[in-house]
Amino acid sequence: MKGVYQLTRPALVWQLLMVVVVMIPHSLRLPWWLPLMTLGAIGWRLLVHLGRTSFPHWSVKFLMAITAGIGAVASIGRGNGPELAVALLVAGFALKLLEIYKRRDALVLIYVAYFLAATELLFGQTLLHALYVLLALLLITAALNAVYQSERHPDFRRPLRAALRLLLPALPLMLVLFLIVPRIGPLWYAPMMQEESVTGLSDTLSPGDVSQLTGSSAVAFRVEFTSGRVPPPAQRYWRGLTYDYFDGRRWQAESDRRTPPELSDLPSGPLLRYQMIIEPSGQPWVYALDYPVSASWPLRMAPNWTLRAPSRLRQRAEFALVSRPLDALPQALSESAQSRYLQLPASGNPRARELAQRWRDEDASVDSLVTRTLALFNRDFVYTLSPPRLGADGIDDFLFETRRGFCGHYASALAFLLRAAGVPARIVGGYQGGEWNPYESYLLIRQYEAHAWVEVWYAGRGWVRVDPTAAVAPQRVEQTADQLLADEPGFLSDTPLSPVRFGRINWLNQLRLRVEAINYSWHRWVLSFHLRQDALLQRLFGELSLWKLALALALPFGLVLGWVALSLLRQRRPKTLDKVDSALLRLSQRLGAQGLGRRNGEPVGLYAARVAEARPELEPLILAVARHYDQLRYAGHDDNAVRRAYREAIRACMRRL
Amino acid sequence: MIRQSHSRFAAFMRAWALRRHGPVHSLTLTQNRIYILPTRAGFWFLVTSLIILLLGVNYENNLVYGASFLLLSLFVISILHTYSNLAGLSITALGARPCLVGEQAEFELLLRAGSHRDYEAIQLSWVDQAPVSCDLIGDSERRVRLYARAPQRGWWRPGPLLVETLYPLGLLRAWTWLETDLRALAWPRPLPGDSLPAGSGSDGSGALLDGRGSEDFLGLEAYQRGMSPRHIAWKQLAAGQGLHAKQFGDQADRQLWLDFDLWPELDSESRLSRLCYWTLRLARERVEYGLRLPGVEIPPGRGERHRQEVLRALALYGKGSR
Amino acid sequence: MLATPADRQQGTAMQDKIERAVASVSTLVLGKDTQVRMALTCLFSQGHLLIEDLPGMGKTTLAHALAQVLGLSFQRVQFTSDMLPADIIGVSIFDQQASAFRFHPGPVFTQLLLADEINRTTPKTQSALLEAMEERQVTLDGVTHPLPEPFFVIATQNPITQFGTFPLPESQLDRFLMRIELGYPDPVAERQLLSEGRYRRQREPLPVCIDLEDLASIRESCRQVRVSDSLIDYLQRLVQYSREAPEFAYGVSPRGSLALLQCARTWAYMQGREYVVPEDIQALLEPVIGHRLRAAEQVGGHGSEALIRQMLEQVDVVG
């Protein structure tokens, strides 16, 4: 019969610690009462341990379980599978705390803790998240070890040491498995996790929208150029979508008709190939430099020559893109398309319409219309992130009253004027700029670099990009946004302590870039590793074969396990000898070849006498060795002269052998 | 059903393991002795890791893949740790204390650490007996006492010794069986009897008296230096006859004989049990007693050594010397 | 510390005296040179000596001869089973003339007491003697009587396997600094013994070779003998081994290791050396440690001698 194991106090403490560590990140997401319940359970269990109260009756636990279950369903809703599952697990986890008394209960709790710690990675995948989960796994392992540690020697720190000794060698093994084990696609449809907040361009543009984005320094996407030179800042226009329809207040994105682009060839020219890792935006748009010519599956090209993912991006995604830098997109415009890009509401903004009409009457060429508008903007308009509110006729107000605004205002005003003058135009939403990271050679585009500009259709040339903001604030295009906007009150208002704010402090900026670089590598090599695995393995091992993979798995495993086994089973080495003793040892080894080695426990004096008897010719020398040895070791005459004499005697002895 | 087949498997394994190696006095555990297999808890740990792996597969989450791989690696590493928690340990059978049939005999084993390593949470048990947990943390050897119920009179062996450990994570169980050369002597189960029948004393004075023999004056001898002044014959000294010392001799005839034939109405096992009862009682009352069994005669005596001798004769009666 | 030439001179003079003492004793106790030296070492180290051997090996002769060469007053007590403590330490007897109790000192009041066959007497009497040995005084009826200075006890005992003995308990054995065995004489010595026809009787008292003054000076010099760190390391390894090895029921006590060091100093001094070497420790390990150790039960058949030899082979001098 096996004994009933009652948990020791360190084991219990480790369990509670483990529960707290596992719960902390989850509790930020869960309904507020779940962490409270867990805390209550911890408190109760502690009181039980102190003998202040007893374990709850089963009916109490049953009632609590039912309540927690209903509560979780009610406050999260059944639609959100993973989150609900985690909440229910956490509830069970907390309630199980009230049961841990024996080893078996503790094991249930610990295994669930392992699982909960891993699920945390579904909700956040930064390097910090990963480190935190690693820490949690360490503590859980310590808790598991504490359950099995000796009851006679309960100790709080030993489990942690044991867990470290177990986990550290497990890390390289994990790495090998991570590299080698092939990734397979999802086995069944799993509902996506709800992102905490997605930021990005929306499918409508009212001239205030972009300002929300300028408040955020969140990453929009990262780009690594695989061929072709990196375009200068002024050329970095990342096109995402076009706003075609204006209802008087807002511009709306083109309706997504699944017709292929009307133009098949682009003029030849150099190509830019690049790899893009795009953060979840909740929108299907993928941002490409002007103008994309091909893209990796499953992206497709929309009629307005922008790229679309098949569904909204709710997880980080990576695409390979190819663009060809062009001045204009030579696209013919059909009747219907023409009317679409000339669309304006029937009424509203009368002063703007009147201005457009007047300009058109004076000179109908597209060029002159564009030039006049930009000249107007250039005259006394001010670029600001905190413009005054606009009234019902927003374009009029902006053009003739406030004259303050940012890209959205300028783009919509320009597009409005052109359309009113009968020139097809559309607003393009996307990002402009990007920060070059020299450490990992990639471009980082943040939300505050969101931008809106205008494409104007020239008969014979096609669509030509016109950025009215550049006319007002050319720095916006040539410098990075953070350099330009740092003093604007609206800039980065969401993240007051963002390191981007301190970009002008040089070393801090470098540090920030380095952190960014690490993040980028993290994204590329860990979070999107499944996209890169095949290529990497092929580069490492050439043509892949089963036996090569098996070898790649077995060899590091063998090495690590061998090393661990050796360190575990190795005899503790004897104390290292000092020079005096090691010289003696050498002599004894030499003599040992002739059966005259010093026996264990034999004093040097007796040994010397034995040698002298067996080898009379060595007598004076070996006796001198013993005499000097005794002088050094026991008589306290440890000075250089004696040492030298000792070494001399040993050497002389060796020579005679 | 499963449990039954499991225990049958365990018995088979034990028999196989023990067939490979004979009884030993002292043994250092090495790889050909140590068996290691996952426990049920280890199985559930693997299941947990695989569920996490499934999570990683379905959400294409490389970090979750990593967490699962880490747990699997942990399992692999813990194989070595569990194994090394037995490897190099040496076990020496020190000895056993005799006991009465039906009581727990005490066996003493010595555990010694191989090199200067720590061993933690090692369980020792005889087959089907409660395990004893012990550690070698910080010290290199430890004596362990194990108990087993004595089944019958005479020499007996406690059966194979199971040495096992679950440390450090309980995912695996490393164990070994060994047959020690330990044997314990079981004395007959005492059978109380009210009084010692008449005729048990050698000279008819069979009453239980105060065990201290009285002293009889034998004569005088010349006093020598170093003799006890208590023995000085003051009367003779006062009479001017010089210094003499009295000589005393112990009377050595108040003895009891415990005889196999005292209780003709009992069968021979019961007689031994009855004799055992009286041996224990007389030893407690410090009476001199001797033992007569067919073919065995132990002259009367006192003291622990005598008692052991008598009890041993009772235990081994009719069993041969082994 | 280096001895000055004068010290050295004095030292060698003293060593000559010691050699003479050894030689004198050896005229009576034939062929037991080492044992005689050990006995002297014990006495110079201010310890009591236990001689264990079968009857007729010359234990008494040795004790008597030592008393003579050291010029000490000597008493011999033959222990028997009916002895009382008073027989050793003395009694207070009512003196009718003085009408008061008068203390009659027992044989213990002497400089060198030979306690013959100490294991023949009862534990009570044994402990009375051993207490006197330890405290170097006797307390009776509330009065403390100091023992003479110096005070040595040479106790002899039969091996405990002999019948009718009360073996000394371990705690009491610990009070003896050394335990030596005389053993059978070697063939040469025995032949000499036999040719002289009988156990050599003392024809004339042995000359006093070392007087009390010398004794004090020897003790002082022994304290100066150097003990190096390496030697202490070695001693510690030995002690540690005795505490860890399963062959021993228990290891050497701190008192035991101190005794060993003290004897080793004297031994080194008697060899005319100013420092202790491992050889000294090894020579004295058996006599000083042997009676303080007990073999574990399972190691049957080995005497402490074999165990100590094993200990010396297991623990290296170097390292």
Side-chain angles (χ1 to χ4, degrees), chain A residues 457-622:
Chain A
W457 194 79
Y458 283 74
R461 280 180 74 196
W463 292 103
V464 174
R465 181 179 69 221
V466 178
D467 186 354
T469 315
V472 187
Q475 311 92 313
R476 168 67 187 84
V477 178
E478 278 147 17
Q479 297 176 348
T480 56
D482 60 291
Q483 288 164 342
L484 173 69
L485 303 177
D487 296 330
E488 283 280 339
F491 182 63
L492 291 183
S493 53
D494 294 354
T495 47
L497 289 179
S498 163
V500 178
R501 268 180 183 267
F502 308 105
R504 271 173 279 190
I505 303 171
N506 201 27
W507 63 267
L508 209 62
N509 200 34
Q510 286 196 350
L511 187 71
R512 184 178 63 80
L513 284 174
R514 278 197 191 275
V515 171
E516 276 300 333
I518 290 170
N519 255 332
Y520 176 67
S521 301
W522 176 253
H523 282 187
R524 261 171 74 79
W525 289 108
V526 181
L527 301 186
S528 338
F529 181 74
H530 54 288
L531 303 171
R532 243 169 281 278
Q533 189 183 30
D534 282 349
L536 178 76
L537 289 182
Q538 278 186 6
R539 210 170 70 209
L540 285 178
F541 305 116
E543 199 54 44
L544 287 181
S545 65
L546 203 61
W547 70 266
K548 269 189 192 168
L549 282 185
L551 200 68
L553 207 60
L555 208 69
F557 260 68
L559 279 176
V560 170
L561 293 182
W563 176 74
V564 171
L566 217 67
S567 69
L568 278 174
L569 301 175
R570 187 185 52 197
Q571 303 252 336
R572 189 174 291 177
R573 291 166 64 89
K575 203 170 66 180
T576 49
L577 299 172
D578 71 351
K579 277 183 182 169
V580 173
D581 285 337
S582 55
L584 184 74
L585 191 71
R586 276 198 304 278
L587 179 63
S588 158
Q589 274 165 354
R590 282 286 288 277
L591 281 161
Q594 306 170 24
L596 278 176
R598 195 179 65 87
R599 299 188 194 114
N600 198 35
E602 190 174 21
V604 179
L606 295 181
Y607 171 60
R610 188 160 63 86
V611 172
E613 199 169 326
R615 299 282 299 270
E617 78 278 12
L618 286 177
E619 185 175 343
L621 291 173
I622 191 89

Side-chain angles (χ1 to χ4, degrees), chain A residues 111 150 152 158 187 530 568, chain B residues 41 58 62 117 120 133 135:
Chain A
Y111 290 1
S150 153
R152 285 154 195 272
R158 215 166 57 242
L187 300 179
H530 54 288
L568 278 174
Chain B
N58 249 15
N62 283 289
R117 288 198 287 128
E120 183 156 0
S133 177
D135 316 286

Side-chain angles (χ1 to χ4, degrees), chain B residues 25 92-95 110 112 116 140-141 143 221 223 225-231 234 246, chain C residues 75 77-78 80 82-84 86-87 91 105-107 243-249 296 298:
Chain B
H25 173 67
T92 306
L94 291 187
L110 179 78
R112 266 179 108 172
H116 292 267
S140 60
E141 65 178 53
R143 279 155 204 260
E221 62 175 331
Y223 183 77
R225 218 176 170 143
M227 281 184 166
S228 164
R230 210 163 41 148
H231 291 178
W234 298 106
K246 291 182 209 165
Chain C
Q75 289 277 11
V77 180
Q78 174 71 41
T80 57
D82 54 0
M83 250 179 158
L84 292 176
D87 301 335
V91 283
R243 291 173 190 168
E244 282 177 357
E247 296 89 15
F248 298 101
Q298 78 275 11

Side-chain angles (χ1 to χ4, degrees), chain A residues 565 568-569, chain B residues 79-88 117-119:
Chain A
L568 278 174
L569 301 175
Chain B
I79 297 176
L80 290 176
H81 279 255
T82 308
Y83 168 80
S84 83
N85 199 36
L86 280 192
R117 288 198 287 128
D118 284 351
Y119 293 84

Side-chain angles (χ1 to χ4, degrees), chain A residues 30-31 33-34 68-91 123 193:
Chain A
L30 292 170
W33 50 271
L34 258 175
I70 293 174
V73 174
S75 48
I76 295 174
R78 294 178 56 201
N80 196 345
E83 208 136 294
L84 182 61
V86 166
L88 288 177
L89 257 179
V90 166
F123 297 100
M193 294 289 148

Side-chain angles (χ1 to χ4, degrees), chain A residues 2 82 111 115 121 125 145 148-150 152-153 158 173-174 178 183 187-188 191 526-527 530 561 568, chain B residues 41 45 51 57-59 61-63 65-66 71 73 80 84 116-117 120 133 135 164 166-170:
Chain A
K2 299 276 178 199
Y111 290 1
F115 186 76
L121 294 170
Q125 291 154 40
N145 176 260
Y148 287 96
Q149 90 166 328
S150 153
R152 285 154 195 272
H153 291 86
R158 215 166 57 242
L173 296 190
M174 175 198 77
F178 189 85
R183 305 297 199 268
L187 300 179
W188 66 82
V526 181
L527 301 186
H530 54 288
L561 293 182
L568 278 174
Chain B
F45 182 86
I51 292 176
V57 168
N58 249 15
Y59 287 100
N61 188 316
N62 283 289
L63 288 180
Y65 268 103
L71 293 189
S73 306
L80 290 176
S84 83
H116 292 267
R117 288 198 287 128
E120 183 156 0
S133 177
D135 316 286
E164 63 175 336
L166 296 171
Y167 192 82
L169 296 183

